[in-house]
Amino acid sequence: MTNSIAEVEDAECIFVIGSNTTSSHPLVATRIFRAKEKGAKLIVADPREVHIAKLADLHVQHNLGTDVALLNGIMHVILERNWHDRSFIEERTEGFDDFKRVIDRYPPDKVAEITGVSPEDILRIAEYYASAGTASILYCMGITQHTTGVDNVKSLANLAMLTGNVGKESTGVNPLRGQNNVQGACDMGGLPNVYPGYQPVNMLDSQKKFESAWNATLSDRVGLTIPDMLSGLMDGSLKALYVIGENPLMSDPDSHHVEKALKGAELLVVQDIFMTPTAELAHVVLPGASFAEKDGTFTNTERRVLRVRKAIEPVGESRTDWEIIQDISNRLGYAMDYDGPEEIMKEIAAVTPSYGGISYDRLEGPGLQWPCPDPEHPGTKFLHKDGFARGKGLFHAIEYQEPAEVVDEEYPLWMTTGRVHVHYHTGTMTRNSPSLHAEMPEGYLEMNHRDAARLGICQGDLVSVTSRRGTINVKTQITERVREGVVFMPFHFVESSANVLTNPAYDPVVKIPEYKVCAVRVEKAA
Amino acid sequence: MDYRTVPTTCTYCGCGCNFFLEVLDGRIIGTIPSKSGPANQGKLCIKGWHVHQFVQSPERLTRPLLRKNGNLSEVSWDEALDYTASRLKEITSAHGSDSAGFFASAKLTNEENYLIQKFARAAVGTNNVDHCARL
Ligand code: SF4
């Protein structure tokens, strides 16, 4: 997030797009409730009537994958009505003219045709957002999990810059990171192109810096992303895969393809706390420890580094993950001799500028928000206060593009996927929690009553759902939450795993799969 | 009787709620939300309230497993680690460092993620390291 969770409650306008906040980020949703009580306007744009939409001053259900068009339409109105922040644009941004030329091509009637949102509603969103003294955008995977994921995010940044809602309290463009430590895994260099602190692997300076810090010769070739590693296993260029705490067989799109790829590995090592479907395919399974059995830190969605503390010993013979990695490294001949996570954090602080001032001593209280470059620095509540990292904020001129897969005669329904409040990701943890499992023991398909009537399907009927990649069986829930022509499935359930169906089409830049849109056919199961 | 409360951070979503794990004689028996947690201010969602349950599930993996004659069977840590290290070494010396890939994890701590990428880059010599940031 550019801003902090607590700031949300003081925003005058909150624009939630592609986030089922009450299910996926309940304690951010709490701040939205408080903001509403203080009189904030709440706009929700989501193809489903997610719970937070019921509280909204305005909820629009745009067609799947039409976010860029919707946002361009909103910005068209803002420009047309002169609601933009001229001085902010002049002083703090560049690229405005090219951007404006594209926006001119998105008048509300045209946008209404693409998105299914009426010109009146587009006008109201523009008015609420642009007229607020402070407006905050919250988004989640409904924005990013598209072939146009990067375009979607850039469009949100355009909207915030256009109205000067950046670099101040209670504003900003705020991604709600789905997994507890996805922010930290990125910060720590768990990415193919960067070392810790986003220092590029193919820049000589950073390569030299890490070569001397780690006393090793390092490669300057950018590595493979997950989808590329999976294709590498298919074509034989990748032979060994070491998976820690992930379950790609269920979490990645097109499970049948993933299974084939994983089976092609000469060596598949899976380090996890449960026997996941991915671990079933492994040559070696190493039992790691859960968060309650180790010391360390997580970095939450507002960049806050927080302590994790060991409460009990690792169960059975399981071991903490850092010890396992250290032991394997020593066996490979690269010596590691850490006596614990605190010592690792010291090394992190030494090589990662944004974590430079972070140490366990300083994390005893409420944690610290990076950037925190030195031991005296208090941490950073919101970013871009005195300007953008690159100097000026850049407007991007972005045209709308259709999703990679669209409905046709054979696959006439749009399908989208997401989470539910009691479960998490592939269900490995929550389905092993009796209280959570009891709340929702099985998966389901949400379908509009009109589609159901047409197909002769009743509430609770078992149906088969087929996409170009596979078929699964699941029970139906007939509902108004989705519009006619759209179905929704959570992806937590292995027996009816939504990712058998999803489309492995990726955003060309960051390789996010298009989980949020594919075309399916639904039939009553035999 | 040994009763302790251990302050920590939730492992589920990115809100980063703080709570105390209640530990009685080496077993976690409950969670207590932390009032001073900056994100949650004394509240938790249903996942947080029950976060301790999966930790002590009987389904947890407790011993290393190695595939022998097609089946995964329990082995000692030494055997599992020796096998992993020697196969990694064989494969990368025959086909180059970039023939190995690593999935880091949004579930692990910062310290562990740091170590995995350091291991991939410095010990194995490849930048093939990624995690499901996108999922
Ligand atoms: S308690 Fe709920 S809202 Fe808080 S971090 Fe855990 S899953 Fe997220």
Side-chain angles (χ1 to χ4, degrees):
Chain A
M1 292 171 75
T2 57
N3 293 59
S4 295
I5 293 173
E7 291 171 40
V8 171
E9 69 179 76
D10 293 312
E12 288 173 27
C13 173
I14 300 171
F15 183 16
V16 175
I17 181 164
S19 152
N20 183 357
T21 326
T22 49
S23 283
S24 298
H25 297 89
L27 268 297
V28 171
T30 306
R31 306 291 178 153
I32 302 177
F33 304 158
R34 289 196 197 150
K36 275 285 305 174
E37 271 169 23
K38 295 183 189 177
K41 283 269 190 277
L42 175 63
I43 311 162
V44 175
D46 200 297
R48 291 173 69 217
E49 194 188 12
V50 289
H51 177 257
I52 194 87
K54 295 194 199 303
L55 296 173
D57 295 277
L58 177 60
H59 171 217
V60 295
Q61 288 178 282
H62 53 308
N63 295 330
L64 297 186
T66 61
D67 303 86
V68 166
L70 178 66
L71 294 165
N72 282 356
I74 296 167
M75 292 187 278
H76 184 99
V77 175
I78 291 175
L79 281 166
E80 198 180 58
R81 308 244 162 175
N82 269 318
W83 290 337
H84 51 296
D85 183 339
R86 281 220 180 67
S87 58
F88 184 89
I89 295 167
E90 247 160 60
E91 286 158 29
R92 305 260 319 252
T93 69
E94 57 196 22
F96 180 73
D97 295 336
D98 290 338
F99 155 79
K100 186 169 179 305
R101 263 192 290 283
V102 169
I103 296 300
D104 286 343
R105 293 202 282 273
Y106 289 83
D109 329 347
K110 176 175 158 190
V111 170
E113 247 165 64
I114 302 172
T115 60
V117 178
S118 71
E120 295 74 41
D121 281 348
I122 294 169
L123 170 67
R124 278 174 72 200
I125 301 179
E127 188 179 350
Y128 287 161
Y129 182 83
S131 65
T134 50
S136 174
I137 297 170
L138 301 177
Y139 72 91
C140 192
M141 298 306 190
I143 277 292
T144 53
Q145 289 177 345
H146 290 279
T147 44
T148 56
V150 170
D151 285 353
N152 291 350
V153 173
K154 286 181 176 165
S155 299
L156 290 174
N158 285 344
L159 176 60
M161 289 192 296
L162 187 65
T163 50
N165 277 303
V166 189
K168 299 189 289 192
E169 254 187 88
S170 302
T171 63
V173 182
N174 298 296
L176 302 176
R177 308 302 302 251
Q179 307 223 29
N180 66 317
N181 202 31
V182 74
Q183 182 69 56
C186 293
D187 298 346
M188 291 302 109
L191 295 169
N193 57 335
V194 290
Y195 296 117
Y198 307 94
Q199 302 171 74
V201 296
N202 53 358
M203 241 175 61
L204 195 60
D205 281 357
S206 45
Q207 188 191 346
K208 287 268 165 301
K209 168 178 168 178
F210 281 92
E211 286 192 333
S212 88
W214 292 345
N215 196 16
T217 314
L218 301 176
S219 162
D220 61 358
R221 264 192 312 283
V222 169
L224 302 175
T225 59
I226 288 180
D228 290 340
M229 285 194 236
L230 294 173
S231 333
L233 288 174
M234 292 290 268
D235 69 24
S237 57
L238 196 79
K239 312 241 176 241
L241 188 66
Y242 194 140
V243 177
I244 308 188
E246 301 224 342
N247 185 10
L249 192 53
M250 269 185 75
S251 64
D252 288 50
D254 192 359
S255 309
H256 292 324
H257 168 86
V258 177
E259 183 171 352
K260 244 187 257 161
L262 294 175
K263 282 186 170 157
E266 279 181 29
L267 173 67
L268 176 64
V269 183
V270 174
Q271 187 169 317
D272 210 316
I273 59 174
F274 286 105
M275 197 65 198
T276 62
T278 306
E280 306 267 3
L281 302 178
H283 300 100
V284 194
V285 179
L286 303 173
S290 79
F291 84 111
E293 297 151 352
K294 58 192 172 197
D295 286 303
T297 56
F298 291 148
T299 303
N300 79 351
T301 190
E302 55 174 357
R303 298 167 279 103
R304 189 185 295 276
V305 185
L306 294 156
R307 270 302 307 274
V308 175
R309 290 184 187 81
K310 177 175 169 173
I312 56 168
E313 291 300 322
V315 300
E317 287 178 30
S318 68
R319 302 180 66 203
T320 58
D321 298 86
W322 69 267
E323 286 176 292
I324 301 173
I325 301 158
Q326 170 155 304
D327 278 355
I328 295 176
S329 189
N330 286 327
R331 280 173 167 77
L332 274 182
Y334 181 79
M336 287 191 188
D337 182 25
Y338 299 100
D339 63 17
E342 185 164 10
E343 195 183 345
I344 302 174
M345 183 47 89
K346 283 191 186 133
E347 183 173 317
I348 294 170
V351 297
T352 314
S354 51
Y355 280 66
I358 289 176
S359 63
Y360 279 19
D361 296 347
R362 295 190 69 198
L363 295 180
E364 278 307 315
L368 283 165
Q369 285 173 283
W370 67 258
C372 176
D374 60 66
E376 270 72 54
H377 195 284
T380 306
K381 194 167 150 191
F382 56 91
L383 302 177
H384 312 310
K385 187 175 178 190
D386 308 305
F388 297 96
R390 61 180 297 278
K392 287 201 164 182
L394 183 62
F395 276 104
H396 294 270
I398 296 167
E399 295 276 8
Y400 160 70
Q401 283 170 17
E402 278 194 339
E405 189 170 79
V406 294
V407 292
D408 57 17
E409 256 169 46
E410 208 181 337
Y411 302 99
L413 292 166
W414 296 97
M415 186 181 95
T416 188
T417 64
R419 290 187 179 165
V420 301
H421 65 299
V422 285
H423 286 296
Y424 182 79
H425 221 58
T426 67
T428 310
M429 295 184 291
T430 49
R431 297 193 77 202
N432 277 301
S433 295
S435 307
L436 298 176
H437 182 70
E439 286 290 318
M440 192 180 288
E442 58 183 6
Y444 61 90
L445 179 85
E446 276 181 10
M447 179 181 244
N448 186 277
H449 64 94
R450 286 191 207 90
D451 291 317
R454 196 164 32 78
L455 295 166
I457 292 167
C458 298
Q459 168 76 17
D461 277 358
L462 192 67
V463 292
S464 69
V465 189
T466 306
S467 76
R468 286 185 177 80
R469 279 121 344 240
T471 299
I472 56 158
N473 287 336
V474 65
K475 285 189 185 159
T476 45
Q477 230 179 60
I478 314 290
T479 171
E480 296 274 344
R481 272 193 296 278
V482 286
R483 292 201 315 202
E484 193 174 356
V486 179
V487 294
F488 164 83
M489 259 185 78
F491 67 99
H492 314 291
F493 302 92
V494 65
E495 320 78 68
S496 52
S497 184
N499 283 325
V500 168
L501 306 171
T502 48
N503 187 10
Y506 297 92
D507 180 281
V509 185
V510 294
K511 300 285 170 79
I512 294 183
E514 189 146 65
Y515 291 107
K516 295 301 184 199
V517 194
C518 73
V520 298
R521 169 173 82 230
V522 176
E523 293 143 317
K524 219 165 165 162
Chain B
M1 224 174 68
D2 174 33
Y3 174 81
R4 288 179 303 135
T5 54
V6 181
T8 192
T9 305
C10 185
T11 188
Y12 284 124
C13 87
C15 290
C17 295
N18 291 127
F19 49 70
F20 297 88
L21 289 171
E22 289 185 280
V23 185
L24 181 66
D25 294 332
R27 276 191 72 79
I28 308 175
I29 54 169
T31 52
I32 306 173
S34 159
K35 286 222 163 109
S36 61
N40 56 307
Q41 300 178 318
K43 294 183 168 49
L44 290 178
C45 83
I46 186 169
K47 294 189 282 292
W49 280 111
H50 298 288
V51 74
H52 56 291
Q53 288 185 354
F54 80 85
V55 172
Q56 296 168 140
S57 156
E59 301 296 317
R60 280 281 301 272
L61 285 167
T62 55
R63 296 199 60 188
L65 306 171
L66 189 59
R67 193 167 296 277
K68 290 181 175 171
N69 308 317
N71 297 318
L72 285 169
S73 20
E74 295 190 348
V75 294
S76 70
W77 270 106
D78 272 334
E79 188 175 349
L81 295 174
D82 287 343
Y83 178 86
T84 306
S86 65
R87 287 292 288 141
L88 263 178
K89 212 181 236 168
E90 273 166 33
I91 291 171
T92 50
S93 16
H95 305 284
S97 301
D98 286 339
S99 65
F102 297 83
F103 286 15
S105 172
K107 289 269 74 66
L108 293 181
T109 62
N110 288 327
E111 291 76 359
E112 289 166 334
N113 276 297
Y114 176 82
L115 223 56
I116 296 157
Q117 60 86 36
K118 179 176 177 182
F119 171 68
R121 292 184 159 119
V124 179
T126 181
N127 286 313
N128 292 341
V129 44
D130 198 7
H131 71 284
C132 74
R134 307 169 180 87
L135 318 189

